[in-house]
Amino acid sequence: DARVTQTPRHKVTEMGQEVTMRCQPILGHNTVFWYRQTMMQGLELLAYFRNRAPLDDSGMPKDRFSAEMPDATLATLKIQPSEPRDSAVYFCASSGFSYNEQFFGPGTRLTVL
Amino acid sequence: GQQLNQSPQSMFIQEGEDVSMNCTSSSIFNTWLWYKQDPGEGPVLLIALYKAGELTSNGRLTAQFGITRKDSFLNISASIPSDVGIYFCAGRSNAGGTSYGKLTFGQGTILTVHP
């Protein structure tokens, strides 16, 4: 059953704390995307990787957000320090060599108090 | 940059009715995708379209890739309560380099189906 998995599904933390979200793309997919979803902004692309190399992170606040792909089966998105305005649902998606179709994980719902 | 306008923003319909929603773009896309998002879950791919004029069905869902390549339509026939959710269109252009593979998403259509 090929699916994108994300952990944790929910995270509540206090302002200033570090948050790490993890994603396992579908096996064999070489492109991984990080999105943030809020009511006001909808789905925003934060960053994406191809063959583990960062291609575009222009949607990400550089001072506090960082995204990495330590190996082909793991992508991480880190926020340090977290702020209340970071509260959102963060989705990871992956696609294969066709690049056309992206498959989304279930998301991490982040609440920063 | 590229923009997608999706309409309507929300729909309230009776079970059994047909539903239509559409997306228009300010620029040409070479791929159109339609997703559905259930509460608390990630978007799930419903239909993918790759050619201008293409009409593709998935059960009660039918989507079309507009001839101008700047629009797409999704129709749901004989709606049922489980059709409730948010429907997103997404498009991909021919832009190369670091833009290749990136999708532009519409704002979503919230569908409510009354039994």
Side-chain angles (χ1 to χ4, degrees), chain A residues 6 8-9 19 21-22 34-38 43-44 46 61 64-65 77 79 83-92 104-112:
Chain A
Q6 289 185 249
R9 290 295 310 273
V19 174
M21 291 169 270
R22 294 177 174 80
W34 282 105
Y35 291 91
R36 176 170 61 187
Q37 186 178 42
T38 61
L43 272 167
E44 302 174 274
L46 297 175
R64 299 183 299 106
F65 284 60
L77 180 67
I79 307 174
E83 297 180 2
R85 59 180 168 152
D86 300 329
S87 298
V89 182
Y90 291 81
F91 288 105
C92 172
F104 282 76
T108 293
R109 181 174 293 276
L110 174 65
T111 303
V112 183

PDB file of all heavy atoms in Angstrom, chain A residues 6 8-9 19 21-22 34-38 43-44 46 61 64-65 77 79 83-92 104-112:
ATOM      1  N   GLN A   6       3.363  10.778   7.452  1.00  0.00           N
ATOM      2  CA  GLN A   6       3.872  11.945   8.156  1.00  0.00           C
ATOM      3  C   GLN A   6       3.731  11.733   9.655  1.00  0.00           C
ATOM      4  O   GLN A   6       2.731  11.178  10.114  1.00  0.00           O
ATOM      5  CB  GLN A   6       3.099  13.213   7.767  1.00  0.00           C
ATOM      6  CG  GLN A   6       3.374  13.709   6.363  1.00  0.00           C
ATOM      7  CD  GLN A   6       2.671  15.025   6.075  1.00  0.00           C
ATOM      8  OE1 GLN A   6       1.731  15.078   5.284  1.00  0.00           O
ATOM      9  NE2 GLN A   6       3.138  16.092   6.701  1.00  0.00           N
ATOM     10  N   PRO A   8       4.681  13.948  13.535  1.00  0.00           N
ATOM     11  CA  PRO A   8       3.472  13.445  14.174  1.00  0.00           C
ATOM     12  C   PRO A   8       2.232  13.931  13.431  1.00  0.00           C
ATOM     13  O   PRO A   8       2.337  14.798  12.574  1.00  0.00           O
ATOM     14  CB  PRO A   8       3.562  14.077  15.567  1.00  0.00           C
ATOM     15  CG  PRO A   8       4.245  15.389  15.337  1.00  0.00           C
ATOM     16  CD  PRO A   8       5.271  15.116  14.237  1.00  0.00           C
ATOM     17  N   ARG A   9       1.084  13.394  13.742  1.00  0.00           N
ATOM     18  CA  ARG A   9      -0.146  13.880  13.121  1.00  0.00           C
ATOM     19  C   ARG A   9      -0.609  15.183  13.771  1.00  0.00           C
ATOM     20  O   ARG A   9      -1.205  16.029  13.124  1.00  0.00           O
ATOM     21  CB  ARG A   9      -1.255  12.839  13.238  1.00  0.00           C
ATOM     22  CG  ARG A   9      -1.066  11.593  12.394  1.00  0.00           C
ATOM     23  CD  ARG A   9      -1.108  11.890  10.896  1.00  0.00           C
ATOM     24  NE  ARG A   9      -2.251  12.684  10.503  1.00  0.00           N
ATOM     25  CZ  ARG A   9      -3.450  12.191  10.183  1.00  0.00           C
ATOM     26  NH1 ARG A   9      -3.653  10.894  10.217  1.00  0.00           N
ATOM     27  NH2 ARG A   9      -4.441  12.999   9.811  1.00  0.00           N
ATOM     28  N   VAL A  19      10.290  22.632  16.614  1.00  0.00           N
ATOM     29  CA  VAL A  19       9.344  21.640  16.098  1.00  0.00           C
ATOM     30  C   VAL A  19       9.984  20.940  14.911  1.00  0.00           C
ATOM     31  O   VAL A  19      10.541  21.590  14.017  1.00  0.00           O
ATOM     32  CB  VAL A  19       8.038  22.317  15.642  1.00  0.00           C
ATOM     33  CG1 VAL A  19       7.113  21.312  14.981  1.00  0.00           C
ATOM     34  CG2 VAL A  19       7.342  23.002  16.815  1.00  0.00           C
ATOM     35  N   MET A  21       9.029  18.074  11.956  1.00  0.00           N
ATOM     36  CA  MET A  21       8.024  17.242  11.303  1.00  0.00           C
ATOM     37  C   MET A  21       8.735  16.328  10.302  1.00  0.00           C
ATOM     38  O   MET A  21       9.686  16.755   9.645  1.00  0.00           O
ATOM     39  CB  MET A  21       7.004  18.128  10.578  1.00  0.00           C
ATOM     40  CG  MET A  21       6.128  18.915  11.529  1.00  0.00           C
ATOM     41  SD  MET A  21       5.144  20.201  10.728  1.00  0.00           S
ATOM     42  CE  MET A  21       6.281  21.583  10.845  1.00  0.00           C
ATOM     43  N   ARG A  22       8.256  15.098  10.216  1.00  0.00           N
ATOM     44  CA  ARG A  22       8.910  14.107   9.367  1.00  0.00           C
ATOM     45  C   ARG A  22       7.963  13.567   8.309  1.00  0.00           C
ATOM     46  O   ARG A  22       6.752  13.485   8.521  1.00  0.00           O
ATOM     47  CB  ARG A  22       9.453  12.966  10.221  1.00  0.00           C
ATOM     48  CG  ARG A  22      10.574  13.398  11.153  1.00  0.00           C
ATOM     49  CD  ARG A  22      11.059  12.281  12.053  1.00  0.00           C
ATOM     50  NE  ARG A  22      12.209  12.698  12.826  1.00  0.00           N
ATOM     51  CZ  ARG A  22      12.136  13.433  13.940  1.00  0.00           C
ATOM     52  NH1 ARG A  22      10.964  13.816  14.400  1.00  0.00           N
ATOM     53  NH2 ARG A  22      13.242  13.757  14.577  1.00  0.00           N
ATOM     54  N   TRP A  34       6.956  20.230   0.480  1.00  0.00           N
ATOM     55  CA  TRP A  34       6.369  20.627   1.762  1.00  0.00           C
ATOM     56  C   TRP A  34       5.402  21.785   1.513  1.00  0.00           C
ATOM     57  O   TRP A  34       5.778  22.790   0.892  1.00  0.00           O
ATOM     58  CB  TRP A  34       7.441  21.079   2.755  1.00  0.00           C
ATOM     59  CG  TRP A  34       8.200  19.976   3.411  1.00  0.00           C
ATOM     60  CD1 TRP A  34       9.479  19.577   3.157  1.00  0.00           C
ATOM     61  CD2 TRP A  34       7.732  19.128   4.474  1.00  0.00           C
ATOM     62  NE1 TRP A  34       9.834  18.543   3.975  1.00  0.00           N
ATOM     63  CE2 TRP A  34       8.778  18.243   4.812  1.00  0.00           C
ATOM     64  CE3 TRP A  34       6.528  19.029   5.184  1.00  0.00           C
ATOM     65  CZ2 TRP A  34       8.667  17.279   5.793  1.00  0.00           C
ATOM     66  CZ3 TRP A  34       6.422  18.066   6.163  1.00  0.00           C
ATOM     67  CH2 TRP A  34       7.480  17.206   6.468  1.00  0.00           C
ATOM     68  N   TYR A  35       4.165  21.621   2.011  1.00  0.00           N
ATOM     69  CA  TYR A  35       3.136  22.650   1.899  1.00  0.00           C
ATOM     70  C   TYR A  35       2.646  23.031   3.289  1.00  0.00           C
ATOM     71  O   TYR A  35       2.711  22.247   4.238  1.00  0.00           O
ATOM     72  CB  TYR A  35       1.914  22.127   1.125  1.00  0.00           C
ATOM     73  CG  TYR A  35       2.123  21.881  -0.344  1.00  0.00           C
ATOM     74  CD1 TYR A  35       2.540  20.640  -0.808  1.00  0.00           C
ATOM     75  CD2 TYR A  35       1.855  22.880  -1.282  1.00  0.00           C
ATOM     76  CE1 TYR A  35       2.694  20.401  -2.169  1.00  0.00           C
ATOM     77  CE2 TYR A  35       2.009  22.647  -2.638  1.00  0.00           C
ATOM     78  CZ  TYR A  35       2.420  21.412  -3.073  1.00  0.00           C
ATOM     79  OH  TYR A  35       2.570  21.172  -4.423  1.00  0.00           O
ATOM     80  N   ARG A  36       2.113  24.245   3.383  1.00  0.00           N
ATOM     81  CA  ARG A  36       1.432  24.689   4.590  1.00  0.00           C
ATOM     82  C   ARG A  36       0.019  25.101   4.181  1.00  0.00           C
ATOM     83  O   ARG A  36      -0.166  25.769   3.161  1.00  0.00           O
ATOM     84  CB  ARG A  36       2.176  25.871   5.213  1.00  0.00           C
ATOM     85  CG  ARG A  36       1.498  26.472   6.420  1.00  0.00           C
ATOM     86  CD  ARG A  36       2.392  27.471   7.121  1.00  0.00           C
ATOM     87  NE  ARG A  36       2.758  28.603   6.289  1.00  0.00           N
ATOM     88  CZ  ARG A  36       3.646  29.531   6.644  1.00  0.00           C
ATOM     89  NH1 ARG A  36       4.244  29.447   7.818  1.00  0.00           N
ATOM     90  NH2 ARG A  36       3.923  30.539   5.847  1.00  0.00           N
ATOM     91  N   GLN A  37      -0.960  24.683   4.983  1.00  0.00           N
ATOM     92  CA  GLN A  37      -2.340  25.019   4.688  1.00  0.00           C
ATOM     93  C   GLN A  37      -2.960  25.781   5.848  1.00  0.00           C
ATOM     94  O   GLN A  37      -2.942  25.326   6.990  1.00  0.00           O
ATOM     95  CB  GLN A  37      -3.169  23.766   4.402  1.00  0.00           C
ATOM     96  CG  GLN A  37      -4.594  24.068   3.938  1.00  0.00           C
ATOM     97  CD  GLN A  37      -5.379  22.808   3.627  1.00  0.00           C
ATOM     98  OE1 GLN A  37      -5.316  21.815   4.356  1.00  0.00           O
ATOM     99  NE2 GLN A  37      -6.133  22.831   2.524  1.00  0.00           N
ATOM    100  N   THR A  38      -3.492  26.941   5.565  1.00  0.00           N
ATOM    101  CA  THR A  38      -4.246  27.736   6.526  1.00  0.00           C
ATOM    102  C   THR A  38      -5.543  28.180   5.877  1.00  0.00           C
ATOM    103  O   THR A  38      -5.670  28.164   4.640  1.00  0.00           O
ATOM    104  CB  THR A  38      -3.469  28.983   6.983  1.00  0.00           C
ATOM    105  OG1 THR A  38      -3.214  29.807   5.824  1.00  0.00           O
ATOM    106  CG2 THR A  38      -2.159  28.629   7.641  1.00  0.00           C
ATOM    107  N   LEU A  43      -3.333  26.487   0.357  1.00  0.00           N
ATOM    108  CA  LEU A  43      -2.141  25.642   0.260  1.00  0.00           C
ATOM    109  C   LEU A  43      -0.974  26.463  -0.276  1.00  0.00           C
ATOM    110  O   LEU A  43      -1.031  26.976  -1.381  1.00  0.00           O
ATOM    111  CB  LEU A  43      -2.403  24.468  -0.678  1.00  0.00           C
ATOM    112  CG  LEU A  43      -2.995  23.204  -0.091  1.00  0.00           C
ATOM    113  CD1 LEU A  43      -3.478  22.288  -1.186  1.00  0.00           C
ATOM    114  CD2 LEU A  43      -1.982  22.491   0.786  1.00  0.00           C
ATOM    115  N   GLU A  44       0.079  26.563   0.527  1.00  0.00           N
ATOM    116  CA  GLU A  44       1.271  27.305   0.112  1.00  0.00           C
ATOM    117  C   GLU A  44       2.444  26.329   0.013  1.00  0.00           C
ATOM    118  O   GLU A  44       2.687  25.564   0.938  1.00  0.00           O
ATOM    119  CB  GLU A  44       1.657  28.350   1.157  1.00  0.00           C
ATOM    120  CG  GLU A  44       0.623  29.382   1.493  1.00  0.00           C
ATOM    121  CD  GLU A  44       1.119  30.240   2.651  1.00  0.00           C
ATOM    122  OE1 GLU A  44       0.917  29.843   3.816  1.00  0.00           O
ATOM    123  OE2 GLU A  44       1.721  31.310   2.391  1.00  0.00           O
ATOM    124  N   LEU A  46       6.108  25.478   0.464  1.00  0.00           N
ATOM    125  CA  LEU A  46       7.216  25.997   1.255  1.00  0.00           C
ATOM    126  C   LEU A  46       8.562  25.676   0.615  1.00  0.00           C
ATOM    127  O   LEU A  46       9.443  26.532   0.507  1.00  0.00           O
ATOM    128  CB  LEU A  46       7.183  25.403   2.669  1.00  0.00           C
ATOM    129  CG  LEU A  46       5.965  25.734   3.516  1.00  0.00           C
ATOM    130  CD1 LEU A  46       6.026  24.976   4.846  1.00  0.00           C
ATOM    131  CD2 LEU A  46       5.869  27.227   3.772  1.00  0.00           C
ATOM    132  N   PRO A  61      10.044  30.869   5.295  1.00  0.00           N
ATOM    133  CA  PRO A  61      10.769  31.882   6.067  1.00  0.00           C
ATOM    134  C   PRO A  61      12.129  31.323   6.469  1.00  0.00           C
ATOM    135  O   PRO A  61      12.222  30.393   7.265  1.00  0.00           O
ATOM    136  CB  PRO A  61       9.882  32.099   7.300  1.00  0.00           C
ATOM    137  CG  PRO A  61       8.564  31.497   6.968  1.00  0.00           C
ATOM    138  CD  PRO A  61       8.833  30.401   5.997  1.00  0.00           C
ATOM    139  N   ARG A  64      13.717  30.943  10.326  1.00  0.00           N
ATOM    140  CA  ARG A  64      13.290  29.992  11.339  1.00  0.00           C
ATOM    141  C   ARG A  64      12.960  28.613  10.796  1.00  0.00           C
ATOM    142  O   ARG A  64      12.849  27.661  11.543  1.00  0.00           O
ATOM    143  CB  ARG A  64      12.058  30.554  12.060  1.00  0.00           C
ATOM    144  CG  ARG A  64      12.295  31.869  12.764  1.00  0.00           C
ATOM    145  CD  ARG A  64      11.067  32.348  13.528  1.00  0.00           C
ATOM    146  NE  ARG A  64       9.929  32.574  12.646  1.00  0.00           N
ATOM    147  CZ  ARG A  64       8.871  31.770  12.567  1.00  0.00           C
ATOM    148  NH1 ARG A  64       8.801  30.697  13.332  1.00  0.00           N
ATOM    149  NH2 ARG A  64       7.877  32.056  11.750  1.00  0.00           N
ATOM    150  N   PHE A  65      12.776  28.491   9.504  1.00  0.00           N
ATOM    151  CA  PHE A  65      12.397  27.214   8.901  1.00  0.00           C
ATOM    152  C   PHE A  65      13.605  26.604   8.196  1.00  0.00           C
ATOM    153  O   PHE A  65      14.396  27.308   7.571  1.00  0.00           O
ATOM    154  CB  PHE A  65      11.289  27.411   7.857  1.00  0.00           C
ATOM    155  CG  PHE A  65       9.909  27.637   8.423  1.00  0.00           C
ATOM    156  CD1 PHE A  65       9.651  28.709   9.256  1.00  0.00           C
ATOM    157  CD2 PHE A  65       8.875  26.772   8.106  1.00  0.00           C
ATOM    158  CE1 PHE A  65       8.381  28.918   9.769  1.00  0.00           C
ATOM    159  CE2 PHE A  65       7.598  26.984   8.606  1.00  0.00           C
ATOM    160  CZ  PHE A  65       7.350  28.064   9.433  1.00  0.00           C
ATOM    161  N   LEU A  77      11.075  18.820   8.160  1.00  0.00           N
ATOM    162  CA  LEU A  77      10.819  20.257   8.179  1.00  0.00           C
ATOM    163  C   LEU A  77      10.920  20.705   9.626  1.00  0.00           C
ATOM    164  O   LEU A  77      10.235  20.164  10.492  1.00  0.00           O
ATOM    165  CB  LEU A  77       9.433  20.580   7.623  1.00  0.00           C
ATOM    166  CG  LEU A  77       9.038  22.063   7.597  1.00  0.00           C
ATOM    167  CD1 LEU A  77       9.910  22.836   6.613  1.00  0.00           C
ATOM    168  CD2 LEU A  77       7.569  22.215   7.218  1.00  0.00           C
ATOM    169  N   ILE A  79      11.154  23.914  12.507  1.00  0.00           N
ATOM    170  CA  ILE A  79      10.873  25.318  12.833  1.00  0.00           C
ATOM    171  C   ILE A  79      11.553  25.608  14.168  1.00  0.00           C
ATOM    172  O   ILE A  79      11.312  24.929  15.160  1.00  0.00           O
ATOM    173  CB  ILE A  79       9.359  25.599  12.962  1.00  0.00           C
ATOM    174  CG1 ILE A  79       8.596  25.117  11.729  1.00  0.00           C
ATOM    175  CG2 ILE A  79       9.139  27.102  13.153  1.00  0.00           C
ATOM    176  CD1 ILE A  79       7.081  25.236  11.854  1.00  0.00           C
ATOM    177  N   GLU A  83       6.553  30.105  16.381  1.00  0.00           N
ATOM    178  CA  GLU A  83       5.745  31.253  16.750  1.00  0.00           C
ATOM    179  C   GLU A  83       4.276  30.903  16.540  1.00  0.00           C
ATOM    180  O   GLU A  83       3.957  30.026  15.722  1.00  0.00           O
ATOM    181  CB  GLU A  83       6.112  32.467  15.897  1.00  0.00           C
ATOM    182  CG  GLU A  83       7.540  32.943  16.077  1.00  0.00           C
ATOM    183  CD  GLU A  83       7.880  34.149  15.226  1.00  0.00           C
ATOM    184  OE1 GLU A  83       6.984  34.648  14.512  1.00  0.00           O
ATOM    185  OE2 GLU A  83       9.050  34.600  15.283  1.00  0.00           O
ATOM    186  N   PRO A  84       3.365  31.590  17.247  1.00  0.00           N
ATOM    187  CA  PRO A  84       1.933  31.294  17.074  1.00  0.00           C
ATOM    188  C   PRO A  84       1.473  31.368  15.621  1.00  0.00           C
ATOM    189  O   PRO A  84       0.611  30.594  15.203  1.00  0.00           O
ATOM    190  CB  PRO A  84       1.256  32.356  17.950  1.00  0.00           C
ATOM    191  CG  PRO A  84       2.249  32.604  19.043  1.00  0.00           C
ATOM    192  CD  PRO A  84       3.599  32.516  18.374  1.00  0.00           C
ATOM    193  N   ARG A  85       2.036  32.265  14.834  1.00  0.00           N
ATOM    194  CA  ARG A  85       1.618  32.391  13.432  1.00  0.00           C
ATOM    195  C   ARG A  85       2.018  31.191  12.574  1.00  0.00           C
ATOM    196  O   ARG A  85       1.608  31.091  11.419  1.00  0.00           O
ATOM    197  CB  ARG A  85       2.199  33.661  12.801  1.00  0.00           C
ATOM    198  CG  ARG A  85       3.718  33.714  12.816  1.00  0.00           C
ATOM    199  CD  ARG A  85       4.230  34.981  12.180  1.00  0.00           C
ATOM    200  NE  ARG A  85       5.661  35.183  12.439  1.00  0.00           N
ATOM    201  CZ  ARG A  85       6.471  35.841  11.634  1.00  0.00           C
ATOM    202  NH1 ARG A  85       6.015  36.376  10.526  1.00  0.00           N
ATOM    203  NH2 ARG A  85       7.749  36.003  11.945  1.00  0.00           N
ATOM    204  N   ASP A  86       2.834  30.297  13.125  1.00  0.00           N
ATOM    205  CA  ASP A  86       3.202  29.067  12.411  1.00  0.00           C
ATOM    206  C   ASP A  86       2.121  27.999  12.541  1.00  0.00           C
ATOM    207  O   ASP A  86       2.213  26.947  11.899  1.00  0.00           O
ATOM    208  CB  ASP A  86       4.516  28.500  12.955  1.00  0.00           C
ATOM    209  CG  ASP A  86       5.667  29.477  12.812  1.00  0.00           C
ATOM    210  OD1 ASP A  86       5.662  30.279  11.854  1.00  0.00           O
ATOM    211  OD2 ASP A  86       6.576  29.443  13.670  1.00  0.00           O
ATOM    212  N   SER A  87       1.119  28.237  13.369  1.00  0.00           N
ATOM    213  CA  SER A  87       0.042  27.266  13.535  1.00  0.00           C
ATOM    214  C   SER A  87      -0.661  27.043  12.204  1.00  0.00           C
ATOM    215  O   SER A  87      -1.133  27.991  11.569  1.00  0.00           O
ATOM    216  CB  SER A  87      -0.971  27.758  14.583  1.00  0.00           C
ATOM    217  OG  SER A  87      -0.353  27.894  15.836  1.00  0.00           O
ATOM    218  N   ALA A  88      -0.699  25.790  11.774  1.00  0.00           N
ATOM    219  CA  ALA A  88      -1.241  25.436  10.453  1.00  0.00           C
ATOM    220  C   ALA A  88      -1.187  23.923  10.322  1.00  0.00           C
ATOM    221  O   ALA A  88      -0.702  23.222  11.217  1.00  0.00           O
ATOM    222  CB  ALA A  88      -0.409  26.080   9.342  1.00  0.00           C
ATOM    223  N   VAL A  89      -1.662  23.439   9.190  1.00  0.00           N
ATOM    224  CA  VAL A  89      -1.459  22.033   8.850  1.00  0.00           C
ATOM    225  C   VAL A  89      -0.344  21.975   7.803  1.00  0.00           C
ATOM    226  O   VAL A  89      -0.401  22.679   6.793  1.00  0.00           O
ATOM    227  CB  VAL A  89      -2.734  21.376   8.301  1.00  0.00           C
ATOM    228  CG1 VAL A  89      -2.474  19.898   8.018  1.00  0.00           C
ATOM    229  CG2 VAL A  89      -3.884  21.522   9.291  1.00  0.00           C
ATOM    230  N   TYR A  90       0.649  21.146   8.064  1.00  0.00           N
ATOM    231  CA  TYR A  90       1.800  21.012   7.167  1.00  0.00           C
ATOM    232  C   TYR A  90       1.693  19.683   6.443  1.00  0.00           C
ATOM    233  O   TYR A  90       1.590  18.623   7.062  1.00  0.00           O
ATOM    234  CB  TYR A  90       3.103  21.106   7.955  1.00  0.00           C
ATOM    235  CG  TYR A  90       3.343  22.499   8.505  1.00  0.00           C
ATOM    236  CD1 TYR A  90       2.715  22.924   9.677  1.00  0.00           C
ATOM    237  CD2 TYR A  90       4.160  23.393   7.821  1.00  0.00           C
ATOM    238  CE1 TYR A  90       2.900  24.209  10.160  1.00  0.00           C
ATOM    239  CE2 TYR A  90       4.354  24.690   8.309  1.00  0.00           C
ATOM    240  CZ  TYR A  90       3.720  25.083   9.468  1.00  0.00           C
ATOM    241  OH  TYR A  90       3.901  26.362   9.942  1.00  0.00           O
ATOM    242  N   PHE A  91       1.716  19.767   5.119  1.00  0.00           N
ATOM    243  CA  PHE A  91       1.602  18.557   4.302  1.00  0.00           C
ATOM    244  C   PHE A  91       2.908  18.285   3.568  1.00  0.00           C
ATOM    245  O   PHE A  91       3.581  19.210   3.102  1.00  0.00           O
ATOM    246  CB  PHE A  91       0.493  18.707   3.251  1.00  0.00           C
ATOM    247  CG  PHE A  91      -0.896  18.674   3.809  1.00  0.00           C
ATOM    248  CD1 PHE A  91      -1.638  19.832   3.925  1.00  0.00           C
ATOM    249  CD2 PHE A  91      -1.453  17.468   4.214  1.00  0.00           C
ATOM    250  CE1 PHE A  91      -2.928  19.808   4.437  1.00  0.00           C
ATOM    251  CE2 PHE A  91      -2.734  17.434   4.734  1.00  0.00           C
ATOM    252  CZ  PHE A  91      -3.480  18.614   4.843  1.00  0.00           C
ATOM    253  N   CYS A  92       3.196  17.022   3.460  1.00  0.00           N
ATOM    254  CA  CYS A  92       4.262  16.549   2.600  1.00  0.00           C
ATOM    255  C   CYS A  92       3.604  15.847   1.415  1.00  0.00           C
ATOM    256  O   CYS A  92       2.553  15.215   1.570  1.00  0.00           O
ATOM    257  CB  CYS A  92       5.136  15.571   3.389  1.00  0.00           C
ATOM    258  SG  CYS A  92       6.368  14.706   2.433  1.00  0.00           S
ATOM    259  N   PHE A 104      -0.284  13.266  -1.545  1.00  0.00           N
ATOM    260  CA  PHE A 104      -0.142  13.942  -0.267  1.00  0.00           C
ATOM    261  C   PHE A 104      -0.194  12.980   0.909  1.00  0.00           C
ATOM    262  O   PHE A 104      -0.903  11.963   0.871  1.00  0.00           O
ATOM    263  CB  PHE A 104      -1.268  14.970  -0.089  1.00  0.00           C
ATOM    264  CG  PHE A 104      -1.063  16.241  -0.859  1.00  0.00           C
ATOM    265  CD1 PHE A 104      -1.284  16.274  -2.227  1.00  0.00           C
ATOM    266  CD2 PHE A 104      -0.641  17.392  -0.224  1.00  0.00           C
ATOM    267  CE1 PHE A 104      -1.092  17.443  -2.958  1.00  0.00           C
ATOM    268  CE2 PHE A 104      -0.440  18.569  -0.948  1.00  0.00           C
ATOM    269  CZ  PHE A 104      -0.661  18.579  -2.305  1.00  0.00           C
ATOM    270  N   GLY A 105       0.531  13.349   1.955  1.00  0.00           N
ATOM    271  CA  GLY A 105       0.412  12.660   3.231  1.00  0.00           C
ATOM    272  C   GLY A 105      -0.780  13.197   4.004  1.00  0.00           C
ATOM    273  O   GLY A 105      -1.456  14.124   3.552  1.00  0.00           O
ATOM    274  N   PRO A 106      -1.027  12.645   5.199  1.00  0.00           N
ATOM    275  CA  PRO A 106      -2.194  13.053   5.993  1.00  0.00           C
ATOM    276  C   PRO A 106      -2.017  14.388   6.709  1.00  0.00           C
ATOM    277  O   PRO A 106      -2.981  14.938   7.226  1.00  0.00           O
ATOM    278  CB  PRO A 106      -2.353  11.915   6.999  1.00  0.00           C
ATOM    279  CG  PRO A 106      -0.970  11.381   7.154  1.00  0.00           C
ATOM    280  CD  PRO A 106      -0.315  11.521   5.813  1.00  0.00           C
ATOM    281  N   GLY A 107      -0.786  14.896   6.746  1.00  0.00           N
ATOM    282  CA  GLY A 107      -0.552  16.198   7.356  1.00  0.00           C
ATOM    283  C   GLY A 107      -0.172  16.135   8.823  1.00  0.00           C
ATOM    284  O   GLY A 107      -0.451  15.155   9.525  1.00  0.00           O
ATOM    285  N   THR A 108       0.492  17.195   9.274  1.00  0.00           N
ATOM    286  CA  THR A 108       0.786  17.418  10.689  1.00  0.00           C
ATOM    287  C   THR A 108       0.081  18.715  11.093  1.00  0.00           C
ATOM    288  O   THR A 108       0.362  19.773  10.529  1.00  0.00           O
ATOM    289  CB  THR A 108       2.299  17.577  10.944  1.00  0.00           C
ATOM    290  OG1 THR A 108       2.965  16.348  10.677  1.00  0.00           O
ATOM    291  CG2 THR A 108       2.549  17.984  12.401  1.00  0.00           C
ATOM    292  N   ARG A 109      -0.834  18.596  12.042  1.00  0.00           N
ATOM    293  CA  ARG A 109      -1.535  19.797  12.527  1.00  0.00           C
ATOM    294  C   ARG A 109      -0.727  20.392  13.674  1.00  0.00           C
ATOM    295  O   ARG A 109      -0.598  19.778  14.724  1.00  0.00           O
ATOM    296  CB  ARG A 109      -2.953  19.455  12.993  1.00  0.00           C
ATOM    297  CG  ARG A 109      -3.734  20.671  13.497  1.00  0.00           C
ATOM    298  CD  ARG A 109      -5.174  20.326  13.802  1.00  0.00           C
ATOM    299  NE  ARG A 109      -5.908  19.976  12.590  1.00  0.00           N
ATOM    300  CZ  ARG A 109      -6.471  20.849  11.772  1.00  0.00           C
ATOM    301  NH1 ARG A 109      -6.405  22.146  12.044  1.00  0.00           N
ATOM    302  NH2 ARG A 109      -7.129  20.443  10.719  1.00  0.00           N
ATOM    303  N   LEU A 110      -0.170  21.567  13.437  1.00  0.00           N
ATOM    304  CA  LEU A 110       0.689  22.222  14.419  1.00  0.00           C
ATOM    305  C   LEU A 110      -0.047  23.371  15.084  1.00  0.00           C
ATOM    306  O   LEU A 110      -0.618  24.224  14.393  1.00  0.00           O
ATOM    307  CB  LEU A 110       1.957  22.753  13.744  1.00  0.00           C
ATOM    308  CG  LEU A 110       2.893  23.599  14.611  1.00  0.00           C
ATOM    309  CD1 LEU A 110       3.478  22.759  15.745  1.00  0.00           C
ATOM    310  CD2 LEU A 110       4.008  24.223  13.781  1.00  0.00           C
ATOM    311  N   THR A 111      -0.013  23.371  16.407  1.00  0.00           N
ATOM    312  CA  THR A 111      -0.561  24.481  17.185  1.00  0.00           C
ATOM    313  C   THR A 111       0.543  25.029  18.068  1.00  0.00           C
ATOM    314  O   THR A 111       1.128  24.285  18.864  1.00  0.00           O
ATOM    315  CB  THR A 111      -1.736  24.041  18.070  1.00  0.00           C
ATOM    316  OG1 THR A 111      -2.755  23.459  17.241  1.00  0.00           O
ATOM    317  CG2 THR A 111      -2.320  25.215  18.833  1.00  0.00           C
ATOM    318  N   VAL A 112       0.836  26.305  17.890  1.00  0.00           N
ATOM    319  CA  VAL A 112       1.861  26.964  18.699  1.00  0.00           C
ATOM    320  C   VAL A 112       1.165  27.954  19.630  1.00  0.00           C
ATOM    321  O   VAL A 112       0.511  28.897  19.161  1.00  0.00           O
ATOM    322  CB  VAL A 112       2.901  27.688  17.828  1.00  0.00           C
ATOM    323  CG1 VAL A 112       3.993  28.302  18.711  1.00  0.00           C
ATOM    324  CG2 VAL A 112       3.516  26.743  16.815  1.00  0.00           C
TER     325      VAL A 112
END
